[in-house]
Amino acid sequence: MRLGVRAALVDGQIVPGDVEVEDGLITGYGLPSANGRGIASPGFVDLQVNGFGGVDFLDADPAGYARAGAALLESGVTAYLPTLITAPEERLIAALGEIAQGAAETRPVSWPDGAGFAGTGSSPCGRGPRILGAHVEGPFISPRRLGTHSPEARRNPDPELLERLLAAGPVRLYTLAPELPGALELVDLLVARGVTVSAGHTDANGDEANAAFDRGVGTVTHLFNAMRPFTHRDPGVAGAALAREDVVVQIILDFVHLAPDTVRVVWRAAGGRLALVTDAVAGAGVSGDGSYRLGDIAVEVRDGVVRRDDGVLAGSVLTMIDAVRNLHALGVPLEAALDAATAVPARVVEADTGRIAIGAPADVLVLSEELEIERVLVGGEAHVAA
């Protein structure tokens, strides 16, 4: 099957020509395409999705994942990490079990051995995006940088609790505050299991951040948000991450969490290792204002902004296609903006997706010249068509 496009994003470059798909895999690109229209991009990979389409993942069942997955596909996401914020242990265990059930079904995509679950990334019942595993955000976070997380459910680093969480489901990405006593021992445990560790909801100073990065922390959760502010004498996690070349920084690019000039500075420091995320809540993918829940926390969506009743930001209703458009609008070349939503986040969790290459899974978007989503394929199957 030919996609009928004029070009495709391959290894960060726009390559003229059509793309061919067979048996769920990409079998050719750069093929003759006299009348091709649009650009083929890898499907978006979102590392932080708390909920979508009216569904919160802390309490979602298989039907909820199906509804959320259908809505995520409409926004161009073909692979994602359901994200679980700080909650009581029993809630996290139950939610990880639901993710494990979905991730054991169909559509395998390999992940590192020992990544907390003996399985493969998949889409429940073959519908919707691939579930690459879980992103557990907490409960080992700083009491000073909780954001919207529950102070009652927050915990200091506890190896036994971490072991129970890892046993409950396919943990692929783990956010913690690396400055907490005992946190670096948890980093060692997670890295040994093949789980990517992210610094987030943290009050770490620059020295503590660099010690964590040296220990194996490879990325930062929603840069600048819920962390010690950057100052000229104490760069904190944000400044330390931007100064290094071996750390991927994740940002929520809705122009609410970060100002445009902040994003420009981040791009100039970390272009090529910037991953777009949405931090989406249940209200994402649903039109209009409304009341939702983020775990046990009531949140309100008003004019595209999500807040608790005390005004604290609580995730977003951003979609990945809008994050790409926003980054491109700031002057970042289209191919680099697309890479920030595909290849870079896939690299963070070592997923075999987010790329167009011979033999790679055919998880592909067809975008119009105006960056409208015209088609979405997962494993070569068309799920969205304009």
Side-chain angles (χ1 to χ4, degrees):
M1 176 181 70
R2 294 280 188 96
L3 298 185
V5 296
R6 68 167 181 81
L9 179 71
V10 180
D11 292 332
Q13 302 293 323
I14 300 295
V15 176
D18 205 353
V19 174
E20 185 177 62
V21 172
E22 186 175 342
D23 295 329
L25 302 176
I26 295 166
T27 55
Y29 60 81
L31 305 174
S33 179
N35 299 308
R37 296 175 58 251
I39 298 170
S41 166
F44 299 144
V45 180
D46 196 342
L47 301 176
Q48 189 171 17
V49 190
N50 306 287
F52 211 86
V55 176
D56 181 78
F57 291 139
L58 192 61
D59 292 308
D61 59 12
Y65 273 100
R67 291 196 303 275
L72 281 163
L73 281 175
E74 294 282 347
S75 70
V77 172
T78 59
Y80 72 109
L81 301 184
T83 301
L84 308 177
I85 69 167
T86 298
E89 178 181 350
E90 61 273 14
R91 298 282 303 284
L92 293 174
I93 294 291
L96 285 166
E98 291 292 345
I99 295 172
Q101 180 178 338
E105 292 285 344
T106 59
R107 232 183 239 149
V109 169
S110 63
W111 55 39
D113 291 340
F117 181 70
T120 53
S122 62
S123 164
C125 305
R127 300 185 299 271
R130 301 180 193 273
I131 296 175
L132 297 176
H135 176 179
V136 180
E137 189 184 3
F140 312 123
I141 58 176
S142 169
R144 301 188 62 182
R145 306 293 173 188
L146 289 170
T148 195
H149 287 231
S150 164
E152 292 80 17
R154 190 205 74 85
R155 295 288 179 268
N156 285 326
D158 180 343
E160 293 182 356
L161 172 54
L162 179 60
E163 289 280 12
R164 293 193 293 272
L165 295 175
L166 294 178
V171 179
R172 192 73 175 267
L173 177 63
Y174 206 106
T175 292
L176 50 71
E179 78 279 6
L180 296 175
L184 294 185
E185 285 69 29
L186 298 191
V187 172
D188 292 343
L189 190 160
L190 289 162
V191 170
R193 300 290 183 83
V195 179
T196 301
V197 187
S198 187
H201 289 270
T202 168
D203 197 44
N205 60 33
D207 290 342
E208 291 166 330
N210 277 307
F213 297 141
D214 291 342
R215 195 74 164 246
V217 173
T219 184
V220 176
T221 298
H222 44 56
L223 189 76
F224 289 112
N225 298 120
M227 63 185 56
R228 179 183 289 232
F230 179 104
T231 69
H232 59 301
R233 291 193 178 93
D234 180 5
V237 168
L242 292 174
R244 298 176 66 115
E245 296 183 351
D246 58 345
V247 176
V248 173
V249 296
Q250 305 166 38
I251 64 168
I252 307 167
L253 213 178
D254 57 357
F255 298 132
V256 175
H257 286 78
L258 299 177
D261 280 344
T262 302
V263 178
R264 291 187 179 100
V265 169
V266 171
W267 179 256
R268 287 169 185 166
R273 55 185 179 91
L274 182 154
L276 296 172
V277 297
T278 63
D279 199 13
V281 303
V286 180
S287 62
D289 296 342
S291 300
Y292 300 92
R293 299 198 71 81
L294 176 55
D296 291 329
I297 299 162
V299 299
E300 294 286 329
V301 178
R302 293 288 179 267
D303 299 322
V305 180
V306 187
R307 296 187 186 275
R308 286 190 324 209
D309 57 7
D310 60 0
V312 172
L313 283 174
S316 85
V317 289
L318 179 68
T319 63
M320 286 295 277
I321 183 60
D322 280 331
V324 169
R325 292 169 180 151
N326 290 344
L327 187 57
H328 185 42
L330 292 176
V332 173
L334 177 59
E335 51 267 45
L338 288 169
D339 251 13
T342 57
V344 177
R347 190 170 77 232
V348 169
V349 292
E350 300 180 34
D352 186 23
T353 188
R355 63 195 180 102
I356 289 177
I358 304 300
D363 299 353
V364 182
L365 313 179
V366 176
L367 301 172
S368 72
E369 305 301 328
E370 297 74 31
L371 297 187
E372 296 293 334
I373 296 172
E374 296 190 338
R375 273 180 288 164
V376 180
L377 292 82
V378 183
E381 299 176 15
H383 289 265
V384 176

